[in-house]
Amino acid sequence: MGEYSMDEHQAFEAMSRFIWQFANRAGDDLLTLLGDISMENGKTFDPAAWTDWMECVKATMRTNS
């Protein structure tokens, strides 16, 4: 599936980065975030959400390696 393996702490850190990144860009609109990350056919409704997520995963892996 993917090339990254994360423990629970790293996954939580990546999620936190992702939410803060969204909030800094778009504000605190949780419903918009939930809509953006909704998945259909294996893809997020907003393709940029997946790109943002992967940037957060990579940043987390860099800081924890």
Side-chain angles (χ1 to χ4, degrees):
M1 178 153 170
E3 60 184 271
Y4 300 98
S5 178
M6 304 174 99
D7 63 24
E8 294 87 351
H9 181 268
Q10 292 167 321
F12 191 86
E13 183 179 335
M15 181 263 317
S16 180
R17 286 175 188 264
F18 180 77
I19 292 171
W20 275 109
Q21 180 183 46
F22 178 87
N24 287 328
R25 185 182 64 246
D28 62 353
D29 185 359
L30 180 61
L31 293 178
T32 297
L33 174 60
L34 292 174
D36 288 353
I37 64 173
S38 296
M39 297 195 76
E40 185 173 294
N41 299 323
K43 298 183 182 199
T44 56
F45 180 73
D46 179 355
W50 185 257
T51 301
D52 292 345
W53 169 248
M54 290 308 301
E55 289 174 9
C56 293
V57 167
K58 291 173 187 175
T60 298
M61 298 306 291
R62 281 192 304 272
T63 61
N64 288 283
S65 59

